[in-house]
Amino acid sequence: MQTILAIDDERSVLESYNAILKGQFKMLTANSGPEGLALLEHNHADLILLDLMMPGMSGTDVLTELAKRDERPPVVIVSGMNSVESAVKAMQHGAREYIIKPFDIDQLTRVVERIINEE
């Protein structure tokens, strides 16, 4: 079973990911960037769902840290920031997709399945 790592400081968002994706994927969740990166030290992830605006380490900071690693799973940004500038910046830092919160369940599952099947 493929694994998705979800990194978001909002517990309700992490619970939503679990409710939507848990039947199809193994889910790992982290409340912060450092916690998510630590999970990657001991676990493989096929995809990362990442929030941009988090206290301490932002999603952009997480993308920067991921770029330094040999193994870099594809990243989907799921953010409440609805601006072209934030989407472009995320893509420049290595994100594959950008989904705006509140997200549509069907859109999220389509994006996740498409990227997982491409890998």
Side-chain angles (χ1 to χ4, degrees):
M1 182 177 279
Q2 291 163 314
T3 301
I4 295 176
L5 169 59
I7 306 172
D8 198 299
D9 62 317
E10 294 180 57
R11 180 150 311 280
S12 62
V13 173
L14 296 175
E15 290 170 357
S16 294
Y17 291 146
N18 272 326
I20 296 164
L21 300 168
K22 193 167 187 164
Q24 295 176 272
F25 304 99
K26 176 182 174 188
M27 295 297 299
L28 301 172
T29 59
N31 292 337
S32 68
E35 184 182 340
L37 292 170
L39 277 172
L40 282 177
E41 293 296 324
H42 304 287
N43 298 279
H44 170 79
D46 296 290
L47 177 74
I48 298 174
L49 298 173
L50 178 63
D51 187 19
L52 275 184
M53 299 300 295
M54 296 183 288
M57 178 181 257
S58 72
T60 304
D61 295 335
V62 173
L63 284 169
T64 300
E65 288 301 312
L66 289 171
K68 298 175 185 175
R69 296 173 179 237
D70 292 332
E71 185 179 327
R72 288 176 287 208
V75 176
V76 175
I77 297 295
V78 185
S79 177
M81 293 182 61
N82 186 5
S83 75
V84 172
E85 181 181 324
S86 63
V88 168
K89 185 175 180 182
M91 298 302 212
Q92 288 172 336
H93 280 85
R96 291 275 294 275
E97 290 283 342
Y98 193 99
I99 297 174
I100 298 166
K101 291 179 188 174
F103 54 83
D104 176 77
I105 293 171
D106 291 334
Q107 178 192 19
L108 177 72
T109 54
R110 278 193 311 272
V111 167
V112 166
E113 289 172 358
R114 178 175 47 79
I115 292 174
I116 289 280
N117 289 331
E118 287 175 0
E119 295 300 310

